[in-house]
């Protein structure tokens, strides 16, 4: 477990996963073991969305890739590559064509091994600033590698009056619950406020959109995404790809309000 502290802000990261972010003792992050989800955050890369109805195949310029829901990055382990006073840097590296074991097999998936035909290095950087937390994703990939990126953090809810403010739109927890497993799309926006006992402003750079998901009333996932996967059928998921220009950065910031 790695920890950072600055003034009244603190965070804890376990194997690259943000398991705590607090201000003056108030916890913003969903705690593993509580109802809702077994994780507290993860990444969706190099795709977002399910693939089972397409035979777990995603069309890419090099043929087809074998991927399960939300890609194979989450099946790989982070290594801590740097820790300084206010920053933690975690890293994953993938060599094109390397089979990655699917943890969902056989209980929740028919695909035992996942394979992607491109090499990349993926960094996740946490920096604790004076009044907020910066989470930066750095993707160093082969030129023209197709990819989508989504960040999937889960936030703790402590009141039954929680809501999400997105521009002029106010979204109730009931609306998010009603969207079910598809998640609720919040398109073309880079800032959201999660209103709860303590408000949290969530900003993003490079993503372009958000989606919201939960199946319980004590937690909500506010997810910056580069593409909303349910805009197309699974066989057309490749329509949501962007293409690597080499090294690209995406950023999410959490501001306690």
């Amino acid at each position: 477990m790695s920890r950072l502290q600055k003034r009244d802000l603190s965070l804890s990261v376990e194997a690259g996963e943000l398991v705590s972010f607090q201000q003056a003792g108030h916890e913003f992050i969903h705690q593993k073991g509580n109802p809702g989800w077994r994780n507290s955050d993860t990444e969706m890369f190099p795709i977002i969305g399910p693939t089972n109805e397409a035979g777990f195949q995603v069309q890419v310029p090099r043929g087809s890739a074998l991927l399960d829901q939300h890609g194979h990055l989450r099946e790989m382990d982070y290594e801590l590559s740097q820790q300084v006073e206010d920053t933690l840097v975690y890293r994953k590296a993938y060599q094109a064509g390397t089979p990655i074991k699917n943890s969902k097999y056989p209980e929740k998936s028919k695909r035992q091994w996942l394979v992607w035909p491109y090499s990349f290095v993926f960094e996740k950087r946490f920096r604790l600033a004076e009044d907020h937390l910066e989470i930066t994703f750095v993707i160093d990939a082969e030129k023209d590698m197709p990819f989508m990126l989504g960040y999937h953090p889960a936030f703790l809810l402590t009141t039954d009056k929680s809501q999400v403010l997105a521009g002029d739109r106010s979204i109730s927890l009931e609306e998010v619950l009603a969207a079910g497993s598809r998640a609720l799309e919040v398109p073309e926006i880079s800032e959201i406020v999660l209103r709860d006992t303590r408000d949290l402003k969530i900003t993003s750079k490079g993503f372009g959109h958000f989606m919201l998901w939960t199946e319980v009333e004590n937690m909500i996932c506010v997810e910056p995404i580069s593409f909303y996967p349910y805009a197309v059928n699974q066989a057309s998921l490749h329509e949501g790809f962007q293409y690597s220009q080499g090294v690209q950065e995406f950023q999410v910031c959490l501001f306690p309000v």
Side-chain angles (χ1 to χ4, degrees):
M1 184 85 71
S2 297
R3 296 179 174 86
L4 297 177
Q5 175 95 36
K6 182 171 287 190
R7 295 190 177 182
D8 63 349
L9 295 181
S10 65
L11 66 85
S12 298
V13 179
E14 183 176 13
E17 184 176 10
L18 180 64
V19 295
S20 177
F21 176 52
Q22 298 185 11
Q23 183 187 46
H26 178 87
E27 181 65 73
F28 290 100
I29 302 300
H30 164 71
Q31 298 299 287
K32 294 194 288 186
N34 288 350
W37 190 37
R38 63 190 176 101
N39 296 103
S40 55
D41 87 345
T42 191
E43 291 75 54
M44 299 173 283
F45 181 87
I47 63 156
I48 305 170
T51 60
N52 58 302
E53 293 176 6
F56 301 96
Q57 298 189 58
V58 181
Q59 183 179 327
V60 296
R62 294 182 181 177
S64 64
L66 300 177
L67 296 178
D68 208 330
Q69 182 168 353
H70 299 328
H72 69 302
L73 183 75
R74 60 179 56 194
E75 300 291 354
M76 301 164 57
D77 295 329
Y78 275 115
E79 62 177 38
L80 178 62
S81 62
Q82 182 182 9
Q83 179 169 1
V84 294
E85 183 178 357
D86 61 356
T87 302
L88 298 167
V89 180
Y90 291 85
R91 181 180 182 273
K92 295 182 181 184
Y94 179 76
Q95 182 65 39
T98 304
I100 299 293
K101 193 168 185 180
N102 185 5
S103 62
K104 293 183 178 182
Y105 176 86
E107 288 81 9
K108 297 181 178 180
S109 176
K110 297 179 180 179
R111 176 60 62 182
Q112 183 176 8
W113 298 96
L114 311 175
V115 181
W116 181 246
Y118 300 88
S119 299
F120 63 81
V121 175
F122 189 99
E123 283 192 351
K124 183 179 186 181
R125 302 174 180 173
F126 298 93
R127 188 180 80 86
L128 199 56
E130 295 292 331
D131 63 347
H132 68 281
L133 169 60
E134 294 177 1
I135 306 167
T136 303
F137 305 99
V138 182
I139 302 168
D140 185 354
E142 298 181 52
K143 192 174 187 304
D144 295 327
M145 184 189 84
F147 73 95
M148 307 170 199
L149 175 63
Y151 178 45
H152 192 308
F155 298 102
L156 181 67
L157 299 180
T158 56
T159 174
D160 58 5
K161 297 181 180 179
S162 303
Q163 58 181 319
V164 173
L165 305 181
D168 296 332
R169 185 179 178 186
S170 178
I171 301 168
S172 68
L173 188 60
E174 289 73 22
E175 290 179 75
V176 182
L177 286 164
S181 61
R182 292 172 64 91
L184 182 68
E185 181 185 15
V186 188
E188 298 180 359
I189 198 163
S190 60
E191 180 178 310
I192 273 179
V193 174
L194 176 57
R195 180 148 288 175
D196 193 62
T197 303
R198 292 285 308 277
D199 293 355
L200 185 69
K201 182 171 71 172
I202 303 156
T203 67
S204 70
K205 293 180 181 179
F207 290 89
H209 318 280
F210 279 86
M211 63 183 183
L212 310 173
W213 173 80
T214 190
E215 295 180 349
V216 295
E217 296 183 351
N218 60 282
M219 177 206 85
I220 188 170
C221 294
V222 181
E223 308 170 36
I225 53 174
S226 63
F227 177 71
Y228 180 67
Y230 298 100
V232 298
N233 61 48
Q234 291 185 22
S236 301
L237 201 57
H238 61 277
E239 294 178 11
F241 280 136
Q242 56 183 277
Y243 294 86
S244 174
Q245 300 304 307
V247 178
Q248 292 174 251
E249 291 192 7
F250 299 77
Q251 190 174 82
V252 177
C253 293
L254 308 181
F255 292 86
V257 179

